[in-house]
Amino acid sequence: MTDKNKHSVPEGVQNIVVETETGARSPAGAIPRKILFFVPLIWTLFQLWYASPLPFILNFFVLNDTEARAIHLAFAMFLAYTAYPTFKSSPKDYIPLQDWILALTASFCAAYLYIFYAQLSLRPGNPTTLDLAVGVTGIVLLLEATRRALGPPLMVVASIFLIYTFFGSHMPDVIAHKGASLSKGMSHYWLSTEGVFGVALGVSTSMVFMFVLFGSLLESAGAGNYFIRTAFAALGHMRGGPAKAAVVSSGMTGLVSGSSIANVVTTGTFTIPLMKKVGFSAEKAGAVEVAASTNGQLTPPVMGAAAFLMVEYVGISYVEVIKHAFLPAIISYIALVYIVHLEACKMGLKGMDRPDARTFGNKIISFFLTILTIIVIGGFTYYGLGWIKTAAGGAAIYFVVLLITASYFILIWLACQVPELELTHEIKVLPDLRETAQAGYYYLLPIVVLMWCLVVERLSPSLSAYYATVVLIFIVLTQRPLKSFIRKKSGPDFSFRLGWENLIDGMVSGGRNMIGIGVATAAAGIIVGTVTLTGIGLVMTEFVEFISGGNLLLILFFTAVISLLLGMGLPTTANYIVVSTLMAPVIVELGALNGLIVPLIAVHLFVFYFGILADDTPPVGLAAFAAAGISGGDPIRTGIQGFTYDIRTAVLPFFFIFNTELLMIGIQDWLHLLVVILSAVAAMLIFGAATQGYWLTKSRFYETIALLLVTFTLLRPGFFWDEVFPPYEEKPGIELVQAIEKHHADTMIRLVVKGEDFNGNEYTKAMMLPVGSEPSGEDRLRGIGFMVIQDDGKLIVDNVMFGSNAERMGIDFDQEIVTVMMEAQRPPKQLMFFPALALLGLIYFLQKRRQTPEEASRIKLV
């Protein structure tokens, strides 16, 4: 948030943001103020250098992953002690001497792996006294930095795991272990990449920082204001228009911010007063903004830090994460727009007056032109730039740079043909949609570059974000001078200096926004390290199976509750790391034991969703407190109302665990995809009507139940269909080779295997293996990575190849292949849609008969 906009944000809301995002200190002294300015700036420049190809091109300051993580954490720890006061009552206008000492000590302990990397690599597992002293000091200071930046919960959780590691022999028998020595513990937690400097901190270093910086620079460039005003221009005239605009603008701001609290403040200052102006209560206005902003972290391509961790934890590309997350995010937002519409209908609200009266034909043309524009941009990004790569070969990069530069100049010229966007936080008259959209088309260029690098070039997320950020830096620096030249105007608003100041401010904001994420991922590494050091994960599997009785639905509910409870005190990223580390393997394993194959990405998205929902869960939801600070409503009631709007987001994860088509897994063709999308959208709209108790008119209780039944059938048609037509035909395991030879190439085959665990207990579980296109069944088995032999009429696994798909999926020596599950020839499960739609038609008929003329007029969108 730039200084010129801060005055319109209530002071209490500003405090929530700075305390949770960037640090509450604002020292009066020149030197401390400069240090808090230049250190995050230097951190940002370091991260740009590390993400770029320049170190390898120049062969200078080339860092490996461990060294980069150490420097990254050193910056985060230093800023945690200098930017965040010890307590809320501690001085904020200066930095006490002890905090300087702690900051320097903490940064030294973090950088110790970089400074003495060569020496440490020569003595793995054999630490010196200095190594142990640094490790112990570093752990203690990390816990305190976590408490300052994120509050006590994550610090307490990490401390409990540390106690469990070192005092395992004194724990109850069910979770006891022999305990770790100080030498072993510190080597694991601080002097290796298994603990603090593990995968989570690595993702923060390599990916998250670049995307946070990308969002900060987009905001500095003015993209946040552009997205909000475009949403208002498009939707503000509709019934309850400001609330609908709040939903859409928050989704678009999700491109800029991976933080729900920052999203509330950025868009809420516009949307909440306008929602109140058209008739929403303070609590409902705040709740709409909270529900929209928490869902902003679900919006691809920037989905919050936890999404990047999935890349490492699940072992898939970021493009795959985006693909799987796309449909649930979109249908969730569409449903929220509809819920807002139903609220407006119930209250008889109208939209804002628009200056131009448009005919129905103009609206239809405008709608289809908007859809066509999106399709053209998407098609050009994927096919157009992809064709250039094919045709130009190695020279493609130069053609792409030339094309993007030319596009930028053309779009800047188009922007200068319409008035400049206003920067005020009050919209009295709805702006013209064409002019508003035209004024900022060039803001989409960095996003196009980001998607091209990810999807077409298949570059890493960090390198893709780097190139998109380079384009964005060019835009920030040049947009004002170019507009000055084209408009033939001069002044501070069109100066290169203002662009330079915005760039530096964006870089500093990017660094300060990363403090909490940096220390959170490091502290969460303690929890991950405890799991790998003590084997608590196996204990958790047995414990959860015992308390749930092996019921997968109960396990999922248990996991959701844990995520919500931890999310009240932990940031989304730390919450995701803790719960996914402990529960994701449990869900997958127990699902397999119950015959249900749950893809790992589905489980991780399940945890991710409930971690985000914790931001608006009373009594601690900070997003609700921020919204209430703007609306003047009660924060607890705002949070409760926001959670009722977010119920649709809470039920989606339960459905995509059992119906993975919602994650675009198992989609066969474009027709199948279209059916999945349409049925999912319809289901969420119907669910919105059911939870609001209103569709064409106020629903009766049996109509609400019927609407919920229709929703369930559309989202999971196989539940009923599988009872009538079993989805798989069971073949005896002895026929595996013949079955796999007949199986469709490049698809998945399901097996049921039997084996014994380390304790001699027998188990039976299902698993899914990828089938290649090799000509024979034996060749396909070898392609999967295992071999079998027949023994006494049974098919036994005889060999498993190291690093193969079979090993990753859980195939092990001496397992018996019990059953091969072949897809049965049966009518499509989507036939269940017809009775569901017939029931929906009956509800429509019943409500239409009771609908008053006034209610009929309200149903219209505009």
Side-chain angles (χ1 to χ4, degrees), residues 488-657:
K488 296 182 172 53
K489 290 184 178 180
S490 60
D493 290 341
F494 294 96
S495 66
F496 176 82
R497 179 175 180 175
L498 181 58
W500 176 258
E501 290 174 355
N502 287 338
L503 172 63
I504 299 301
D505 286 344
M507 288 183 167
V508 173
S509 296
R512 294 195 65 157
N513 287 337
M514 275 299 300
I515 302 172
I517 296 174
V519 295
T521 50
I526 295 174
I527 296 153
V528 177
T530 300
V531 172
T532 58
L533 183 61
T534 64
I536 185 64
L538 295 174
V539 177
M540 281 293 296
T541 302
E542 296 175 359
F543 177 70
V544 172
E545 183 179 16
F546 172 74
I547 64 171
S548 66
N551 185 298
L552 183 61
L553 193 61
L554 195 58
I555 294 167
L556 291 172
F557 181 76
F558 182 60
T559 304
V561 171
I562 290 174
S563 295
L564 289 173
L565 289 175
L566 287 177
M568 291 182 186
L570 305 188
T572 302
T573 307
N575 186 7
Y576 165 76
I577 294 170
V578 173
V579 181
S580 65
T581 300
L582 293 175
M583 298 302 298
V586 176
I587 294 171
V588 172
E589 181 69 18
L590 294 183
L593 292 174
N594 284 273
L596 178 68
I597 297 167
V598 184
L600 192 56
I601 180 63
V603 180
H604 280 258
L605 282 171
F606 182 94
V607 174
F608 181 49
Y609 266 60
F610 280 99
I612 288 170
L613 285 174
D615 277 348
D616 68 357
T617 305
V620 189
L622 291 178
F625 276 83
I630 297 171
S631 69
D634 179 78
I636 301 297
R637 288 168 59 193
T638 299
I640 293 171
Q641 184 69 56
F643 193 76
T644 61
Y645 291 152
D646 264 339
I647 288 176
R648 79 208 185 284
T649 310
V651 302
L652 261 178
F654 286 94
F655 280 104
F656 64 56
I657 288 285

Side-chain angles (χ1 to χ4, degrees), residues 291-555:
S293 294
T294 50
N295 279 203
Q297 291 191 68
L298 305 175
T299 310
V302 180
M303 298 164 53
F308 302 103
L309 287 161
M310 287 184 208
V311 175
E312 298 295 328
Y313 287 166
V314 182
I316 61 177
S317 69
Y318 188 61
V319 174
E320 288 292 306
V321 173
I322 291 174
K323 183 186 86 170
H324 296 315
F326 180 77
L327 183 56
I330 294 303
I331 63 177
S332 183
Y333 263 108
I334 291 173
L336 184 55
V337 172
Y338 187 59
I339 287 171
V340 166
H341 175 68
L342 292 177
E343 284 279 19
C345 289
K346 285 192 289 184
M347 293 186 284
L349 306 182
K350 295 184 178 180
M352 297 177 67
D353 294 330
R354 65 185 309 166
D356 57 324
R358 304 170 70 205
T359 65
F360 179 76
N362 288 337
K363 295 173 186 175
I364 293 295
I365 292 172
S366 176
F367 173 78
F368 281 106
L369 282 177
T370 303
I371 297 298
L372 182 62
T373 301
I374 294 171
I375 293 172
V376 168
I377 291 174
F380 174 75
T381 302
Y382 188 82
Y383 295 105
L385 296 181
W387 175 83
I388 292 174
K389 182 183 177 183
T390 303
I397 185 65
Y398 302 106
F399 284 96
V400 170
V401 169
L402 183 63
L403 182 61
I404 290 172
T405 305
S407 300
Y408 172 57
F409 287 131
I410 292 170
L411 293 176
I412 281 285
W413 180 83
L414 283 174
C416 291
Q417 308 311 303
V418 296
E420 285 286 311
L421 295 175
E422 294 183 10
L423 295 175
T424 62
H425 279 73
E426 186 177 1
I427 301 177
K428 295 181 179 179
V429 179
L430 282 181
D432 179 76
L433 176 58
R434 182 190 65 80
E435 291 185 352
T436 305
Q438 186 174 324
Y441 280 138
Y442 62 91
Y443 289 128
L444 301 178
L445 275 177
I447 299 171
V448 169
V449 171
L450 175 65
M451 296 310 299
W452 176 66
C453 290
L454 284 170
V455 177
V456 179
E457 289 289 338
R458 297 282 178 172
L459 299 180
S460 68
S462 58
L463 194 56
S464 301
Y466 169 77
Y467 285 125
T469 301
V470 169
V471 173
L472 189 50
I473 289 173
F474 179 72
I475 290 175
V476 173
L477 289 175
T478 61
Q479 60 175 334
R480 287 176 175 81
L482 284 173
K483 287 180 178 180
S484 174
F485 175 77
I486 296 171
R487 292 184 184 276
K488 296 182 172 53
K489 290 184 178 180
S490 60
D493 290 341
F494 294 96
S495 66
F496 176 82
R497 179 175 180 175
L498 181 58
W500 176 258
E501 290 174 355
N502 287 338
L503 172 63
I504 299 301
D505 286 344
M507 288 183 167
V508 173
S509 296
R512 294 195 65 157
N513 287 337
M514 275 299 300
I515 302 172
I517 296 174
V519 295
T521 50
I526 295 174
I527 296 153
V528 177
T530 300
V531 172
T532 58
L533 183 61
T534 64
I536 185 64
L538 295 174
V539 177
M540 281 293 296
T541 302
E542 296 175 359
F543 177 70
V544 172
E545 183 179 16
F546 172 74
I547 64 171
S548 66
N551 185 298
L552 183 61
L553 193 61
L554 195 58
I555 294 167

Side-chain angles (χ1 to χ4, degrees), residues 173-174 176 535 537-543 545 755-763 812:
D173 290 342
V174 69
L538 295 174
V539 177
M540 281 293 296
T541 302
E542 296 175 359
F543 177 70
E545 183 179 16
E756 288 186 358
D757 60 22
F758 292 114
N759 298 320
N761 300 318
E762 191 176 89
Y763 63 82
D812 203 354

Side-chain angles (χ1 to χ4, degrees), residues 8 55 274 295 396 441 521 547 678 701 706 738 755:
S8 55
L274 289 172
N295 279 203
Y441 280 138
T521 50
I547 64 171
L678 292 178
F701 78 94
Q738 299 91 323

Side-chain angles (χ1 to χ4, degrees), residues 116-139:
F116 298 102
Y117 181 79
Q119 295 90 320
L120 289 169
S121 63
L122 297 175
R123 52 174 190 269
N126 187 28
T128 64
T129 304
L130 178 61
D131 295 342
L132 293 177
V134 168
V136 172
T137 305
I139 288 284

